[in-house]
Amino acid sequence: MIAIRRNKLVFVLTIGFILLIKSYFLWNTFHNGDFSETKILKSGDAGHYFKIAKNLSEFKSYADNGTSIANESATWRPPIWPFTLSLFFYITTHPLTLLILKVLFETFLLVTAVIYFYRKNNYSLIFFGALLLLLIEPQYLKYSVTFLSESFTAVLILLLSMLFMQLQKNKAPNVLAPIVAAVTVMCHPVSVFFVVTLLGIYLLFHLKNHIKRTILHGLLFSFIVLSWPMRNALLFDKGFYFTASQGSAFSKSWNEKVLTDFTNVDGDLADENLNLKYIEAKELKNPNNGVLEYSKLYQKGTWNYIKSLSFSQQVKTALRKLKSNFNPFPEKPKAGFFESLSILFRIIYLLVFVQLLIRLLSWKKIDFNSHRDKAFMVVLAVLLGQTLMSIYIYTGLRFNTVYSLTLLFCFLLINQQWVTDKINRLTNK
């Protein structure tokens, strides 16, 4: 009886602490920031998401030109976050209120997911409180108060990971898994290698006992993801592409300045035009070159640049980006308490990767009825996702934020006994 009361007291204190930290961060951010529409529209990527969402709410068109005519430049952004944000415009058009709605919406999804996971599994009330630390993960918090898509993607990745955690031999595949997986890719394509890896494990696990349903779920995922490039191909008649940014991102990640100028803070700030010198002049002078044409030129020029490198130079460039990706410390100064706190969390996530390697080197069979082993599979998908994407384009501190909630979730599950024992020792004292 005394232990139960103590657990309830610890839980209440934990909730209070979490709410206090989150409230302070939100109040401080909203109190000191400029959230006028003029300021938002000038805020780069965030302003572009805002503009597309506003256009969707006003003109029912995926555009950034203030009209009902869809345009190519709007396809620079994948569709899920602009469509989601546009729904908030039916409630309010004030940027600050929109951000508050975003925070409330994501908090609702997070709390609902944690409660669902807790009720489905036999964990203590203390560990349930520990899971709610997800609400104050510093990297997630930072992007939750912007119009960028990173925080919403982080929530979607966590939801997909929780669906994966329910995987068991005697259960059929959940149709929500391919749907959430597809929506995640269409929210932030940087997640694609992670999603394909995790969903692939999920579907392969079920293939033997539920072959028809597994194939249908794989087709459902493919149909949802491919619907957007199909829409773009039919609407603009300029080829099959997911976003107009893919050529620019590729060019920014493979060029002659990567080895000297690339950092995990602003690795994407390189000039995408650097590789255009590897394109014939007559192609560049085409008067009809628009957003999509230049995206193709960026890709072509970048491939030509990569082909001009020796194998050792290609490896050196890839390793430079990999080193930057897994470096928990910012390679350029970033001031602020939450920026410093983020370093601690990234070190924890690096340790989780080390734990994964130790688990794999043990050569023991993966037990898909064990939450700990399934958490390791999620971490493996994150590791592969970050590795492949950082080599292909880049990731860095901002893009890796999409995995922050999931890595904290996996850290808590993998070290559940250690976390619970630590909390019990502190409360006993």
Side-chain angles (χ1 to χ4, degrees), residues 122-124 127 372 410-421:
N122 189 29
Y123 285 116
S124 67
F127 190 67
R372 194 169 189 269
C410 289
F411 167 77
L412 293 171
L413 279 182
I414 291 169
N415 302 284
Q416 184 262 333
Q417 191 60 53
W418 178 83
V419 171
T420 304
D421 289 345

Side-chain angles (χ1 to χ4, degrees), residues 182-211:
V183 168
T184 302
V185 173
M186 296 176 74
C187 189
H188 208 316
V190 76
S191 66
V192 63
F193 294 122
F194 160 79
V195 169
V196 170
T197 300
L198 193 65
L199 185 66
I201 296 172
Y202 187 85
L203 294 178
L204 285 173
F205 178 84
H206 290 293
L207 188 60
K208 182 178 179 180
N209 296 324
H210 305 278
I211 184 169

Side-chain angles (χ1 to χ4, degrees), residues 69-97:
I69 302 174
N71 63 340
E72 294 178 19
S73 60
T75 61
W76 195 271
R77 311 296 167 190
I80 292 300
W81 175 234
F83 274 110
T84 304
L85 180 58
S86 71
L87 299 178
F88 299 155
F89 274 85
Y90 292 103
I91 301 174
T92 180
T93 59
H94 191 275
L96 178 56
T97 312

Side-chain angles (χ1 to χ4, degrees), residues 143-154:
Y143 289 100
S144 68
V145 290
T146 72
F147 287 107
L148 294 168
S149 63
E150 273 75 11
S151 65
F152 187 50
T153 307

Side-chain angles (χ1 to χ4, degrees), residues 317-361:
T317 302
L319 290 177
R320 172 69 186 88
K321 293 194 291 179
L322 280 172
K323 178 183 176 182
S324 181
N325 176 80
F326 291 104
N327 183 0
F329 299 95
E331 294 171 337
K332 284 182 66 176
K334 298 193 77 175
F337 172 75
F338 276 88
E339 294 293 352
S340 300
L341 188 60
S342 296
I343 296 174
L344 173 61
F345 277 76
R346 287 194 293 269
I347 291 174
I348 291 173
Y349 304 152
L350 200 58
L351 292 175
V352 174
F353 289 140
V354 173
Q355 286 185 293
L356 167 68
L357 294 177
I358 293 172
R359 173 64 183 88
L360 294 177
L361 290 173

